[in-house]
Amino acid sequence: EDQVTQSPEALRLQEGESSSLNCSYTVSGLRGLFWYRQDPGKGPEFLFTLYSAGEEKEKERLKATLTKKESFLHITAPKPEDSATYLCAVRGGSNYKLTFGKGTLLTVNP
Amino acid sequence: SQTIHQWPATLVQPVGSPLSLECTVEGTSNPNLYWYRQAAGRGLQLLFYSVGIGQISSEVPQNLSASRPQDRQFILSSKKLLLSDSGFYLCAWRKGDDTNYGYTFGSGTRLTVV
């Protein structure tokens, strides 16, 4: 069974204070690791898909990296509008579904 | 462009009442469709998925059911709601012919069973 563990559960940063979120996973035949952003009361918003170890993707202040066991979402010089819950999910080789972690609640204070 | 619609946005229902949540996708054909539930303090839990009309796979046995009467329509139902059915219900779609394509979520329905 695919499993995803995200840490920390919550992270509070000052504006401009860079940090990283962790996503550890176990999956049989990784078909993709997905990062989503979710604002309160809304559906998850797609950020990145990573497919193989060593792959990196960037979008504005966010950069996602992937190894064989974990993924990191690096946030550089965050702003208050980056505050949200960040979700990590994996899709295994034999499944149609995404298996999600519980998310990291990021708060960026001005 | 493709869009996904989900309604209603919020719903308060008494225990034992029926439920019907609807999701439609526009701008694509033969999508894979999904129903997820998000409870407080828990990750998104897959409830049902469908790869075609009339084809429904259930991930979690419970008093919910799903149907896909049309290619781009996905319905989540219950005959009698339980308190434990409260949560945030999300519909999602993915291109059926591209196994590496990302999943797009709807805006969700907040269901409170009282």
Side-chain angles (χ1 to χ4, degrees), chain A residues 31-32 34 36 38 41-46 49 51 87 91 95-103, chain B residues 32 34 36 38 41-44 46 49 51 59 88 90 94 99-107:
Chain A
R31 296 294 297 275
F34 301 77
Y36 285 85
Q38 186 175 25
K42 297 187 177 182
E45 175 189 347
F46 173 76
T49 308
Y51 296 108
L87 300 171
R91 178 168 176 263
N95 293 324
Y96 288 95
K97 70 178 183 180
L98 292 184
T99 298
F100 281 85
K102 294 182 179 180
Chain B
N32 287 355
Y34 304 81
Y36 279 85
Q38 188 174 36
R42 302 181 64 179
L44 275 77
L46 179 66
Y49 69 89
V51 298
E59 287 287 310
F88 192 46
L90 290 156
R94 178 178 68 83
T99 57
N100 291 323
Y101 198 75
Y103 295 61
T104 301
F105 284 84
S107 56

